[in-house]
């Protein structure tokens, strides 16, 4: 095991991580990918540790992915969703979480509609590890990491690649985590979407902006298509789904003028026929299901790295 | 361990199973019944395997029965119910399930309101095992199997017995799985209910039809009373619950002219005073709680048989 | 291990327990507190046993506390909440529970809005252990026990202390369990609240009644502040929350004339600024988070004691 360690006891976002830290997580995830391929996918790394999945926003796939990762590491897993919680009784987030910590919970995986909620938790807690599973439009770091791992799997590197992110950039924590991670790892990043869905000043994150998808795709090695969050759209930021599909939807026709090796990514769930055509989603270029598999490996890696003792070498 | 194996990697229905396959499942369940009686009910057969219980219809007892069976086999268990799922976000069933498979889930136990949903899944999946926990009015194979086991427990055989199924035959997956399984195992089967609740042409499944419950019960060794699915009835298929109870309810009076050894079964939950009187449900003749216990053994057997490797002999 | 045993196979309330039994539970909980402090919090005491958490009322913290305790004892845990249950299909509580028992479940932890529901269960069941996790306004015995443990931790004893319970005594199962337990252990108990929230005849439980909080607090060693159950209040039993806070809220000012060593307890979740000010809740006097930690230890102790065989000495 290498001497690199994560500096923070928590995983809040990719903005805070160095290249070496991201490398460590990706390399650790690679080892866990071997575990995942075994007939018996169980390692004792988190045996006797308890993990609470604290989901204040509904999410099936992220919750299940974390839950599988936690159970494969032999943790005791507790699910907690906002609808059935004391939060309904008016308790503050701080009280909820300090109570969970008082139960000697080792890890809190939190998804919350408010950007900064995981960061806030770290200030309430003295010994539990916090993992951000998506906070508002801020970050979704394990998604960013699994995207990096999927890219590295395909190209053997991230450095020097051109990644285009297409969709609702303004409301996307996936976009933000991708941008931070990709930039740190040396990729060049472009974003593309309707002007109303591109946040002003995004260039300061080191990305190029395109409003015509054809221009954006031309040099791309990786095309990361965001989900149009139907449930998040208010106030007519774009005319209709049909209009969006016509102007920004990734279709076989739009891929004709791209590099032949360019891959298609999507964080799921896909709105088929809106941001991504079914033909493309199920094509050879699509690595969407690899992303899902890598999600397990990344989450196992993060849980493992944040839970190993400072000096003892857990194998 | 015998050389018989299940031919299909999935369990979709009893229609597809041979007599030898059903026998194998019942015999395996018998071994698991011994496990269930132990003070420590835990065997390592599915250690390191993950099972997702994918319930698109609410069901307490079937879900809990599967969950207990899975945990007693040491599987990692993930519960997923439609209300909290991506399905609410408009994802297709195929995408949901392919994502679950990409997480390297070994077994998907599915309950769905649409007949054929489990069959559809098997066409989306390449390595996960699918177990049907009830699909529309089509089949509920583990219920059929636990009913067979309960009958065999009592009579030492199924062959040659007379089984009468009373109730809403038209909407009942329990009836269909029972009919397929009982016929394959050599029982003679009759169904009985109001004409509106007997599907036309049911005789082609090899069953006799009765519209007067007194006639149906006379020769029965086994009386399997179906639940009146209050939530499924639309359009006045029968006048009132009171009327149904008066005409088809199984009461002590109706049992006077039956064989003294005839047993009473019910898949639960019971509408006491409607299809079954409390006196009968709690009588010596009732094997309803044996069915529940056998449900655990059958589900352990099915999970075990569908997960053992082709050549290795898991003890 | 001492020779004392719990006389009942169930835990229904503190009213039924002797001083020796309570002592045994507290002492056992003390041993489990050591387990809780270990890096690997897992003991095999309930390995191969199954526990169903049967919650007919929403409760996050109690359910999670039980679930953590159960998993740390290596039990197989099944969660069951009323909203997704057969109860919605009209099944009786008795049928639900007899079915759960037929699945060979070892322990049923039940929370129910009806006082006496756990007691009722014990009459339906022949071998499962029942643990009351709160029944109506009757008892919440594990809360009472964790409160006793927290007091004993602080003072080294319960005997001879003066405990004041402030709030809605009439609707509080926490108050009732505390009163029974504290009286049995030799504490002197007073209750305090608006006259509409003090049940007539409460003095027969051996407690003193105060209607002015200043009078009640003066001699207290322990101040146990109850949650104002906003969701339970009907029919104007007190004017407004603001009025309640002004008259009965525990604030730094109200603590000036109390014993300097007096501690503050609260079963949670706290309505900050209503029954308890934030300053007090987070002060040095507050042992509220200790209560939460002790909740795990008490639940482990109760589960352990009710599941160990009559003669074998499980270590």
């Amino acid at each position: 095991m290498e001497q690199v360690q994560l500096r923070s006891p928590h995983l809040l976002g990719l903005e805070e991580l160095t290249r070496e830290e991201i490398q460590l997580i990706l390399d650790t995830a690679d080892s866990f990918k071997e575990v995942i391929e075994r007939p018996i996918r169980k390692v004792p790394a988190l045996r006797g540790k308890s993990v609470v999945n604290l989901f204040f926003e509904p999410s099936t796939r992220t919750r299940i992915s974390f839950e599988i990762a936690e159970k494969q590491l032999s943790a005791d897993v507790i699910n907690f969703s906002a609808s059935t919680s004391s939060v309904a009784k008016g308790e503050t987030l701080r009280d909820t979480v300090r109570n969970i910590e008082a139960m000697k919970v080792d890890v809190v995986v939190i998804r919350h509609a408010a950007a900064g909620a995981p960061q806030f938790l770290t200030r309430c807690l003295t010994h539990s590890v916090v993992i951000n599973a998506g906070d508002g439009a801020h970050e979704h770091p394990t998604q960013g990491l699994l995207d990096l791992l999927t890219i590295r799997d395909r190209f053997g590197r991230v450095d020097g690649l051109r990644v285009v992110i297409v969709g609702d950039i303004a409301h996307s924590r996936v976009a933000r985590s991708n941008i931070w991670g990709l930039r740190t790892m040396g990729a060049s990043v472009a974003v593309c979407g309707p002007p109303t869905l591109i946040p002003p000043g995004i260039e300061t994150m080191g990305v190029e902006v395109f409003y015509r998808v054809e221009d954006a795709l031309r040099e791309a090695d990786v095309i990361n298509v965001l989900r149009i969050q139907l449930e998040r759209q208010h106030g007519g930021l774009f005319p209709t789904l049909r209009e969006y599909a016509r102007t920004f939807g990734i279709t076989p026709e739009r891929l004709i003028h791209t590099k032949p090796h360019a891959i298609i990514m999507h964080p799921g769930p896909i709105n088929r026929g809106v941001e991504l055509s079914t033909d493309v989603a199920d094509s050879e270029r699509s690595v969407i299901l690899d992303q899902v598999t890598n999600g397990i490996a990344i989450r196992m890696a993060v849980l493992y790295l944040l839970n190993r003792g400072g000096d003892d070498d857990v194998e």
Side-chain angles (χ1 to χ4, degrees), chain A:
Chain A
M1 193 55 67
E2 322 165 29
Q3 285 313 305
V4 190
Q5 295 242 344
L6 301 183
R7 291 165 309 155
S8 166
H10 310 290
L11 178 67
L12 301 180
L14 295 197
E15 182 176 3
E16 292 84 39
L17 296 189
T18 64
R19 189 170 185 138
E20 288 67 34
E21 288 176 310
I22 292 178
Q23 204 101 47
L24 172 65
I25 297 171
L26 299 186
D27 292 346
T28 308
D30 266 340
S31 335
F32 280 117
K33 285 179 75 164
E34 290 167 36
V35 172
I36 291 176
E37 296 300 333
R38 291 182 199 159
I40 295 184
R41 284 182 299 284
K42 197 97 179 173
V43 289
L46 265 69
R47 202 176 151 272
K49 305 285 182 187
S50 51
V51 180
V52 170
N53 296 315
L54 193 56
F55 276 64
F56 292 95
E57 280 190 332
S59 161
T60 302
R61 69 180 57 213
T62 303
R63 198 263 297 163
I64 292 184
S65 180
F66 268 108
E67 192 173 345
I68 290 176
E70 293 153 3
K71 289 183 170 169
Q72 287 179 177
L73 291 168
S74 305
D76 288 331
V77 179
I78 313 286
N79 289 314
F80 171 106
S81 68
S83 54
T84 58
S85 84
S86 288
V87 176
K89 295 189 189 176
E91 190 179 38
T92 64
L93 179 58
R94 181 170 169 276
D95 276 343
T96 299
V97 170
R98 291 187 68 203
N99 268 282
I100 288 175
E101 186 178 56
M103 294 181 196
K104 306 294 177 189
V105 164
D106 298 278
V107 183
V108 178
V109 175
I110 181 173
R111 165 161 292 194
H112 201 286
Q119 168 92 56
F120 172 76
L121 289 201
T122 64
R123 294 198 301 268
C124 310
L125 298 176
T126 54
H127 70 263
S128 301
V129 166
V130 176
I131 297 177
N132 180 3
D135 63 326
H138 176 230
E139 283 234 32
H140 188 357
T142 56
Q143 178 73 44
L145 289 163
L146 73 89
D147 288 343
L148 286 169
L149 184 61
T150 308
I151 294 169
R152 200 178 76 167
D153 281 354
R154 267 302 167 107
F155 294 97
R157 64 190 166 96
V158 175
D159 194 82
L161 295 176
R162 169 69 157 190
V163 180
V164 176
I165 307 173
V166 182
D168 177 357
I169 310 299
H171 300 92
S172 176
R173 52 196 176 208
V174 175
R176 292 179 63 87
S177 287
N178 262 275
I179 293 169
W180 291 118
L182 288 163
R183 295 292 297 131
T184 301
M185 299 308 285
S188 113
V189 183
V191 298
C192 176
T196 49
L197 300 179
I198 304 284
I202 182 98
E203 293 86 350
T204 61
M205 290 181 78
V207 305
E208 245 182 295
V209 177
F210 291 87
Y211 298 107
R212 281 194 69 235
V213 71
E214 290 75 9
D215 298 340
L217 298 189
R218 201 163 293 130
E219 299 302 317
D221 299 298
V222 175
I223 304 164
N224 197 346
V225 185
L226 300 179
R227 170 181 171 74
I228 288 300
Q229 303 267 6
L230 310 174
E231 62 277 22
R232 288 236 185 100
Q233 302 300 328
H234 305 291
L237 293 178
F238 54 83
T240 63
L241 286 183
R242 179 181 301 243
E243 174 71 10
Y244 183 85
R246 207 180 52 74
T247 326
F248 291 96
I250 305 300
T251 56
E253 297 70 40
R254 288 227 157 87
L255 294 182
I256 290 172
H257 302 293
T258 60
K259 292 186 182 173
H261 66 249
I263 60 172
I264 304 291
M265 303 178 74
H266 188 292
I270 305 169
N271 296 304
R272 288 175 176 263
V274 183
E275 71 267 6
L276 198 59
S277 81
T278 281
D279 288 345
V280 176
D282 300 339
S283 70
E284 290 284 300
R285 284 163 175 267
S286 165
V287 295
I288 296 173
L289 293 177
D290 298 327
Q291 289 174 273
V292 176
T293 306
N294 284 339
I296 304 283
I298 283 290
R299 286 163 186 131
M300 290 178 80
V302 167
L303 285 158
Y304 169 77
L305 290 169
L306 294 177
N307 278 282
R308 64 172 174 178
D311 39 18
D312 57 353
D313 186 45
V314 182
E315 276 304 309

